Amino acid sequence: MTQSLKVALAQLNPKVGDVAGNLAKVRAARAEAAKQGADLVLTAELVLAGYFPEDLVLKPSFVKRCHEAVEELRADTRDGGPALFVATPWREDGKLYNAIVCLDKGEIVGKRYKVDLPNYGVFDDKRVFTPGPMPGPLVFKGVRIGVPICEDVWTADVVECISETGGEILLVPNASPYEVGKTDVRVQLAVQRVVESGLPLVYLNQVGGQDEVVYDGGSFALGADRSLKAKLASFREQVATIEFRRGADGWECQPGPIAPELSDIESIYQAMMLGLRDYVNKTGFPSVVIGLSGGVDSALTVAVAADALGPARVHTLMMPSPYTSAHSLEDAKACAEAIGIKYDIVSIEPAMAAFREMLLPLFGNRKEDVTEENIQSRARGVTLMAVSNKLGGMVVTTGNKSEMAMGYATLYGDMAGGYNVLKDVYKTTVFELCRWRNAHLPEGAMGPRGKVIPERIITKPPSAELKPNQTDQDSLPPYDVLDKALESYVELDRSREELVAEGFADIVDRVVELVDRAEYKRRQAPPGPRLRTKAFGRDRRTPITNRWRG
């Protein structure tokens, strides 16, 4: 009877649609696991396809290629090395499943299908997959192993079925998106399943950025006594082997390495870095182009970009207008030099003059207003896109969540670009992130150590500088008040009456009106990393044509 089982946790960063590349990652993980003496390699959810593949799995050719990859891995296991629990789309009897396939000694020795298909937030599994039947455990080396897939452990039923049919160990493959505080939620959830079943549990999560979603890894193992036995690093690929030993009362997980837990602010910064890095690298851009204004949003954006990609892959443009202050140019230059990135100065005054002359026959003597302000923003957007087209870098925009919520952004101007690092970051958090980055060099960062964002950028009043003596607070409430109201309305769906009761009576009508009215703008905004429970985009789907005012 087997007394020991060594399981390698392959916390990998797959690329959606790159079946050959993902297959290579699984093979490399298996080779590393063999060096570590593992009996079995566990991969994360849909690792061969990449998560989430969305409509790719509706293409028969794509699912066929995933099947072929499973066959290649099956043949690999003839070498006597570790078995594989590999996750993949799987078509059988005309139905498409989210599956885990067990490969050992050149054979498919078992398959299990995801039962509970999530259909909320960023998930729409029910749209493409068929739910599987309630699963019993797979038998490997005489050990009865339950493999509930991701959402299957968020409720009790699937684990209960595994336990009642003789399961001894739970190995859970996941693709669980990052959001602030999610680690605690996962651990508490896993503890519940351990308490109910009495079984040790491994929670394996993938890592990496995919469009708007970031997966943070942080895989872990719990003993049957609910204690944390091992934890992998967050935001990093890793292959680590943990051992289970049979005891008088069943299988127990042996203690392994426990990676340090990140603070909320560090985890946000890491998610921004990883989201940008993977978006740029997986889509094949050589570099990024960013407008550097001397303000706090663009300064934080370029710091994240340099940390994610390296300073040599970041090109910034300062694009002054007649309203740009001397200190903004000084601050932008100081920031670029502190980070060590390329910067150029391109004045937009000629473009402003050209538009003024072009439109004079139509506008006549009408007073200048937001039209001329938006022309400045759009001139900058055209300039950045021209540099992108000519030199190849992707434009990264710099608007924060507070601005996006209130519609304080210009279509085809500062919203023009391929990705927005700050899309899910409120303004108050922008300041907090700047101060944190000045005091810390993030793990894995490619930028310099030390103060990369000049203090004056952080402390001066925020301003778009689109007209004389302009500041954000001329037309917006103080950000510490505004952001709390936005969190209540946007993320918690509080009603107008509830917002009044929370102390926002003075601003509630304006906040509700502007947030709802700006939905059409947000639909045209670039993607950015999802960091909170309800980000603009796939999480929050409000109709554009909509008469409801909360």
Side-chain angles (χ1 to χ4, degrees):
M1 181 181 291
T2 302
Q3 300 298 315
S4 171
L5 182 69
K6 294 182 178 180
V7 180
L9 311 185
Q11 181 174 286
L12 304 179
N13 184 347
K15 182 188 295 186
V16 168
D18 184 9
V19 181
N22 298 337
L23 172 62
K25 279 185 175 288
V26 173
R27 282 175 160 159
R30 182 171 181 265
E32 175 59 30
K35 294 178 184 177
Q36 296 178 12
D39 301 302
L40 166 66
V41 182
L42 177 66
T43 67
E45 184 176 10
L46 292 182
V47 68
L48 291 178
Y51 197 87
F52 189 80
E54 301 188 85
D55 285 7
L56 288 181
V57 295
L58 301 179
K59 298 178 183 293
S61 59
F62 179 72
V63 176
K64 179 175 180 288
R65 180 66 188 98
C66 291
H67 279 233
E68 291 169 351
V70 171
E71 285 298 305
E72 292 181 57
L73 292 171
R74 179 185 63 78
D76 289 351
T77 63
R78 294 193 186 111
D79 63 6
L84 274 168
F85 278 20
V86 64
T88 182
W90 192 262
R91 185 172 293 281
E92 193 161 300
D93 298 329
K95 297 178 180 178
L96 183 64
Y97 297 102
N98 182 332
I100 188 97
V101 182
C102 180
L103 310 172
D104 187 35
K105 298 186 173 75
E107 301 293 335
I108 295 178
V109 298
K111 300 186 291 287
R112 292 295 183 269
Y113 305 134
K114 189 174 182 178
V115 178
D116 194 351
L117 301 178
N119 198 48
Y120 59 86
V122 300
F123 301 106
D124 51 10
D125 290 43
K126 287 182 180 178
R127 183 170 177 270
V128 293
F129 290 118
T130 299
M134 293 295 283
L138 291 167
V139 179
F140 173 73
K141 285 195 168 186
V143 186
R144 298 177 66 82
I145 301 173
V147 282
I149 300 173
C150 198
E151 194 77 10
D152 288 344
V153 298
W154 285 74
T155 54
D157 294 349
V158 174
V159 171
E160 181 181 12
C161 178
I162 292 168
S163 177
E164 290 177 348
T165 52
E168 298 176 288
I169 294 172
L170 298 171
L171 302 182
V172 188
N174 294 269
S176 178
Y178 168 79
E179 60 190 51
V180 178
K182 189 71 168 286
T183 298
D184 288 343
V185 174
R186 295 180 190 130
V187 172
Q188 291 168 11
L189 184 80
V191 166
Q192 285 182 293
R193 301 292 87 86
V194 171
V195 169
E196 294 159 359
S197 65
L199 304 179
L201 179 149
V202 167
Y203 187 105
L204 175 66
N205 193 24
Q206 79 166 40
V207 67
Q210 171 58 34
D211 294 348
E212 294 176 300
V213 178
V214 177
Y215 302 96
D216 54 320
S219 306
F220 60 89
L222 299 177
D225 62 355
R226 306 183 300 281
S227 64
L228 182 66
K229 297 293 186 179
K231 182 182 179 298
L232 274 58
S234 298
F235 302 102
R236 301 285 180 275
E237 286 191 293
Q238 189 176 352
V239 178
T241 298
I242 60 173
E243 183 181 7
F244 292 89
R245 292 180 187 167
R246 189 189 296 273
D249 298 323
W251 288 88
E252 188 52 85
C253 181
Q254 302 304 298
I258 297 179
E261 193 61 54
L262 305 182
S263 67
D264 285 350
I265 202 69
E266 182 175 3
S267 73
I268 290 172
Y269 199 95
Q270 287 284 354
M272 292 161 63
M273 279 173 52
L274 181 56
L276 177 62
R277 178 187 297 131
D278 274 6
Y279 193 85
V280 171
N281 291 341
K282 290 180 178 180
T283 54
F285 281 95
S287 59
V288 294
V289 182
I290 303 170
L292 185 57
S293 67
V296 69
D297 296 322
S298 64
L300 178 59
T301 299
V302 298
V304 172
D307 287 338
L309 305 169
R313 297 177 67 188
V314 180
H315 181 188
T316 60
L317 293 185
M318 304 172 196
M319 296 170 285
S321 79
Y323 308 119
T324 302
S325 64
H327 68 71
S328 288
L329 285 174
E330 294 166 4
D331 292 344
K333 179 181 178 182
C335 182
E337 290 177 344
I339 298 173
I341 53 179
K342 179 181 180 181
Y343 67 93
D344 289 298
I345 300 176
V346 179
S347 172
I348 63 166
E349 287 192 55
M352 294 169 63
F355 275 107
R356 189 180 300 113
E357 182 178 352
M358 288 164 50
L359 295 168
L360 183 61
L362 294 176
F363 290 177
N365 294 322
R366 287 179 173 85
K367 183 180 177 181
E368 288 194 0
D369 54 20
V370 71
T371 305
E372 284 71 22
E373 294 181 31
N374 286 341
I375 284 173
Q376 295 173 60
S377 180
R378 289 175 179 135
R380 292 185 173 114
V382 168
T383 303
L384 289 167
M385 290 304 302
V387 172
S388 172
N389 291 160
K390 187 66 70 175
L391 303 181
M394 182 187 75
V395 176
V396 175
T397 65
T398 62
N400 61 67
K401 188 171 186 175
S402 307
E403 294 169 347
M404 294 303 300
M406 299 291 280
Y408 276 56
T410 304
L411 281 174
Y412 328 119
D414 56 345
M415 291 174 64
Y419 195 80
N420 180 0
V421 172
L422 305 183
K423 185 174 183 179
D424 203 23
V425 182
Y426 289 116
K427 187 76 169 191
T428 48
T429 308
V430 168
F431 290 115
E432 189 177 355
L433 285 163
C434 288
R435 294 188 177 95
W436 182 87
R437 176 57 181 91
N438 276 348
H440 301 85
L441 181 66
E443 181 73 23
M446 302 172 71
R449 188 181 300 276
K451 184 175 286 190
V452 295
I453 300 172
E455 187 65 22
R456 188 166 66 175
I457 287 179
I458 301 172
T459 57
K460 68 185 178 183
S463 171
E465 293 192 326
L466 298 174
K467 61 182 180 181
N469 303 313
Q470 184 182 38
T471 69
D472 291 3
Q473 309 298 216
D474 295 340
S475 51
L476 289 175
Y479 281 115
D480 58 343
V481 175
L482 175 63
D483 288 353
K484 291 176 183 177
L486 290 173
E487 183 176 5
S488 288
Y489 185 61
V490 171
E491 298 184 29
L492 301 177
D493 286 319
R494 303 286 197 227
S495 68
R496 183 190 182 282
E497 290 73 19
E498 288 172 314
L499 287 168
V500 170
E502 290 177 10
F504 301 116
D506 293 343
I507 64 171
V508 61
D509 289 331
R510 182 159 177 76
V511 167
V512 170
E513 177 190 5
L514 292 181
V515 169
D516 291 351
R517 196 169 68 188
E519 183 62 29
Y520 79 101
K521 286 188 178 182
R522 291 189 291 270
R523 291 288 183 93
Q524 300 177 69
R530 175 185 183 271
L531 306 171
R532 301 174 64 93
T533 54
K534 188 173 284 189
F536 292 125
R538 292 180 60 158
D539 277 309
R540 188 178 187 273
R541 309 181 194 184
T542 302
I544 296 173
T545 307
N546 169 21
R547 297 280 296 189
W548 176 256
R549 292 293 178 265

